Short mmCIF file of all heavy atoms in Angstrom, two decimals:
data_model
loop_
_atom_site.label_atom_id
_atom_site.label_comp_id
_atom_site.label_asym_id
_atom_site.label_seq_id
_atom_site.Cartn_x
_atom_site.Cartn_y
_atom_site.Cartn_z
N GLU A 1 0.82 -1.20 0.00
CA GLU A 1 0.00 0.00 0.00
C GLU A 1 0.86 1.26 0.00
O GLU A 1 1.67 1.48 0.89
CB GLU A 1 -0.94 0.02 1.21
CG GLU A 1 -1.91 1.18 1.16
CD GLU A 1 -2.94 1.12 2.28
OE1 GLU A 1 -3.01 0.12 2.99
OE2 GLU A 1 -3.66 2.11 2.42
N ASN A 2 0.69 2.06 -1.05
CA ASN A 2 1.34 3.35 -1.23
C ASN A 2 2.86 3.27 -1.39
O ASN A 2 3.55 4.27 -1.26
CB ASN A 2 0.98 4.30 -0.08
CG ASN A 2 1.17 5.75 -0.49
OD1 ASN A 2 1.02 6.11 -1.65
ND2 ASN A 2 1.52 6.57 0.47
N VAL A 3 3.42 2.11 -1.68
CA VAL A 3 4.85 1.95 -1.92
C VAL A 3 5.04 1.39 -3.33
O VAL A 3 4.55 0.30 -3.64
CB VAL A 3 5.52 1.02 -0.88
CG1 VAL A 3 7.00 0.83 -1.19
CG2 VAL A 3 5.32 1.56 0.53
N ILE A 4 5.76 2.12 -4.16
CA ILE A 4 5.96 1.72 -5.56
C ILE A 4 6.86 0.49 -5.64
O ILE A 4 7.87 0.39 -4.95
CB ILE A 4 6.54 2.89 -6.38
CG1 ILE A 4 5.60 4.10 -6.31
CG2 ILE A 4 6.79 2.47 -7.83
CD1 ILE A 4 4.16 3.81 -6.69
N HIS A 5 6.48 -0.43 -6.49
CA HIS A 5 7.19 -1.68 -6.68
C HIS A 5 8.62 -1.42 -7.17
O HIS A 5 8.84 -0.60 -8.07
CB HIS A 5 6.44 -2.53 -7.71
CG HIS A 5 6.86 -3.95 -7.76
ND1 HIS A 5 8.09 -4.33 -8.23
CD2 HIS A 5 6.21 -5.08 -7.40
CE1 HIS A 5 8.18 -5.65 -8.17
NE2 HIS A 5 7.05 -6.12 -7.67
N GLY A 6 9.58 -2.11 -6.60
CA GLY A 6 10.97 -1.95 -7.00
C GLY A 6 11.21 -2.30 -8.46
O GLY A 6 12.11 -1.76 -9.09
N GLY A 7 10.41 -3.20 -9.01
CA GLY A 7 10.55 -3.56 -10.41
C GLY A 7 10.20 -2.40 -11.33
O GLY A 7 10.80 -2.24 -12.40
N ILE A 8 9.24 -1.60 -10.93
CA ILE A 8 8.87 -0.41 -11.71
C ILE A 8 10.03 0.58 -11.69
O ILE A 8 10.42 1.13 -12.72
CB ILE A 8 7.59 0.25 -11.15
CG1 ILE A 8 6.39 -0.73 -11.22
CG2 ILE A 8 7.30 1.56 -11.85
CD1 ILE A 8 5.97 -1.11 -12.61
N ILE A 9 10.59 0.80 -10.50
CA ILE A 9 11.72 1.72 -10.36
C ILE A 9 12.90 1.21 -11.19
O ILE A 9 13.56 1.98 -11.90
CB ILE A 9 12.10 1.89 -8.88
CG1 ILE A 9 10.97 2.60 -8.13
CG2 ILE A 9 13.43 2.63 -8.72
CD1 ILE A 9 11.10 2.60 -6.63
N SER A 10 13.15 -0.09 -11.15
CA SER A 10 14.24 -0.68 -11.92
C SER A 10 14.04 -0.47 -13.42
O SER A 10 15.00 -0.16 -14.15
CB SER A 10 14.33 -2.18 -11.64
OG SER A 10 14.58 -2.41 -10.27
N THR A 11 12.82 -0.64 -13.87
CA THR A 11 12.51 -0.44 -15.29
C THR A 11 12.76 1.00 -15.71
O THR A 11 13.34 1.25 -16.78
CB THR A 11 11.05 -0.84 -15.58
OG1 THR A 11 10.88 -2.22 -15.24
CG2 THR A 11 10.68 -0.60 -17.03
N VAL A 12 12.35 1.94 -14.90
CA VAL A 12 12.57 3.36 -15.20
C VAL A 12 14.06 3.66 -15.33
O VAL A 12 14.51 4.31 -16.28
CB VAL A 12 11.91 4.26 -14.13
CG1 VAL A 12 12.37 5.70 -14.25
CG2 VAL A 12 10.39 4.15 -14.21
N LEU A 13 14.86 3.16 -14.39
CA LEU A 13 16.31 3.39 -14.43
C LEU A 13 16.94 2.72 -15.65
O LEU A 13 17.79 3.32 -16.32
CB LEU A 13 16.95 2.87 -13.14
CG LEU A 13 16.57 3.65 -11.87
CD1 LEU A 13 16.98 2.87 -10.63
CD2 LEU A 13 17.18 5.04 -11.87
N ASP A 14 16.52 1.50 -15.95
CA ASP A 14 17.05 0.78 -17.11
C ASP A 14 16.72 1.53 -18.40
O ASP A 14 17.58 1.69 -19.27
CB ASP A 14 16.47 -0.64 -17.13
CG ASP A 14 17.04 -1.50 -18.25
OD1 ASP A 14 18.24 -1.41 -18.53
OD2 ASP A 14 16.27 -2.29 -18.82
N GLU A 15 15.49 1.97 -18.54
CA GLU A 15 15.09 2.71 -19.74
C GLU A 15 15.87 4.00 -19.89
O GLU A 15 16.30 4.36 -20.99
CB GLU A 15 13.58 3.01 -19.71
CG GLU A 15 12.73 1.85 -20.12
CD GLU A 15 12.91 1.52 -21.60
OE1 GLU A 15 12.65 2.38 -22.47
OE2 GLU A 15 13.32 0.39 -21.89
N ALA A 16 16.07 4.72 -18.80
CA ALA A 16 16.82 5.98 -18.87
C ALA A 16 18.24 5.73 -19.37
O ALA A 16 18.75 6.46 -20.22
CB ALA A 16 16.84 6.65 -17.50
N MET A 17 18.89 4.68 -18.85
CA MET A 17 20.25 4.38 -19.29
C MET A 17 20.28 3.92 -20.74
O MET A 17 21.17 4.29 -21.51
CB MET A 17 20.89 3.34 -18.36
CG MET A 17 21.17 3.87 -16.97
SD MET A 17 22.02 2.70 -15.89
CE MET A 17 20.71 1.49 -15.57
N ALA A 18 19.29 3.13 -21.14
CA ALA A 18 19.23 2.66 -22.53
C ALA A 18 19.06 3.83 -23.49
O ALA A 18 19.70 3.87 -24.55
CB ALA A 18 18.09 1.64 -22.69
N TRP A 19 18.21 4.79 -23.15
CA TRP A 19 18.02 5.95 -24.03
C TRP A 19 19.23 6.87 -23.98
O TRP A 19 19.53 7.55 -24.97
CB TRP A 19 16.73 6.69 -23.69
CG TRP A 19 15.55 5.92 -24.21
CD1 TRP A 19 14.63 5.23 -23.48
CD2 TRP A 19 15.20 5.74 -25.59
NE1 TRP A 19 13.73 4.62 -24.33
CE2 TRP A 19 14.05 4.92 -25.63
CE3 TRP A 19 15.74 6.17 -26.79
CZ2 TRP A 19 13.44 4.54 -26.82
CZ3 TRP A 19 15.14 5.79 -27.97
CH2 TRP A 19 14.00 4.98 -27.98
N ALA A 20 19.97 6.87 -22.88
CA ALA A 20 21.22 7.64 -22.84
C ALA A 20 22.22 7.07 -23.84
O ALA A 20 22.95 7.81 -24.50
CB ALA A 20 21.80 7.66 -21.42
N THR A 21 22.26 5.73 -23.94
CA THR A 21 23.17 5.13 -24.92
C THR A 21 22.74 5.51 -26.33
O THR A 21 23.58 5.83 -27.17
CB THR A 21 23.26 3.59 -24.78
OG1 THR A 21 22.02 3.00 -25.12
CG2 THR A 21 23.69 3.17 -23.40
N ALA A 22 21.44 5.50 -26.59
CA ALA A 22 20.95 5.88 -27.92
C ALA A 22 21.27 7.34 -28.22
O ALA A 22 21.68 7.68 -29.33
CB ALA A 22 19.45 5.62 -28.02
N ALA A 23 21.11 8.20 -27.24
CA ALA A 23 21.40 9.62 -27.43
C ALA A 23 22.88 9.84 -27.70
O ALA A 23 23.25 10.80 -28.39
CB ALA A 23 20.96 10.42 -26.20
N ALA A 24 23.72 8.94 -27.20
CA ALA A 24 25.16 9.03 -27.45
C ALA A 24 25.54 8.39 -28.77
O ALA A 24 26.72 8.32 -29.12
CB ALA A 24 25.92 8.36 -26.30
N GLY A 25 24.54 7.90 -29.51
CA GLY A 25 24.78 7.33 -30.83
C GLY A 25 25.05 5.84 -30.84
O GLY A 25 25.48 5.29 -31.85
N ALA A 26 24.79 5.17 -29.72
CA ALA A 26 25.04 3.72 -29.63
C ALA A 26 23.74 3.00 -29.27
O ALA A 26 23.09 3.35 -28.30
CB ALA A 26 26.10 3.44 -28.57
N TRP A 27 23.38 2.02 -30.06
CA TRP A 27 22.22 1.20 -29.74
C TRP A 27 22.71 -0.05 -29.03
O TRP A 27 23.58 -0.77 -29.53
CB TRP A 27 21.45 0.85 -31.01
CG TRP A 27 20.72 2.05 -31.51
CD1 TRP A 27 21.18 2.96 -32.42
CD2 TRP A 27 19.45 2.52 -31.09
NE1 TRP A 27 20.25 3.95 -32.60
CE2 TRP A 27 19.18 3.70 -31.79
CE3 TRP A 27 18.50 2.05 -30.18
CZ2 TRP A 27 18.00 4.43 -31.63
CZ3 TRP A 27 17.33 2.76 -30.02
CH2 TRP A 27 17.09 3.94 -30.74
N ALA A 28 22.16 -0.30 -27.85
CA ALA A 28 22.68 -1.38 -27.01
C ALA A 28 21.57 -1.97 -26.15
O ALA A 28 20.52 -1.35 -25.96
CB ALA A 28 23.81 -0.84 -26.13
#
């Protein structure tokens, strides 16, 4: 109750890093 699932937080962090690689010109 009222605590966000760690898997959701993990997904957000993973997506941010993946898009950072794309922004740097590398698809990974």
Side-chain angles (χ1 to χ4, degrees):
E1 186 174 352
N2 202 31
V3 178
I4 301 307
H5 194 292
I8 299 295
I9 294 169
S10 299
T11 300
V12 168
L13 293 166
D14 184 39
E15 280 292 301
M17 291 184 289
W19 284 108
T21 67
W27 287 92

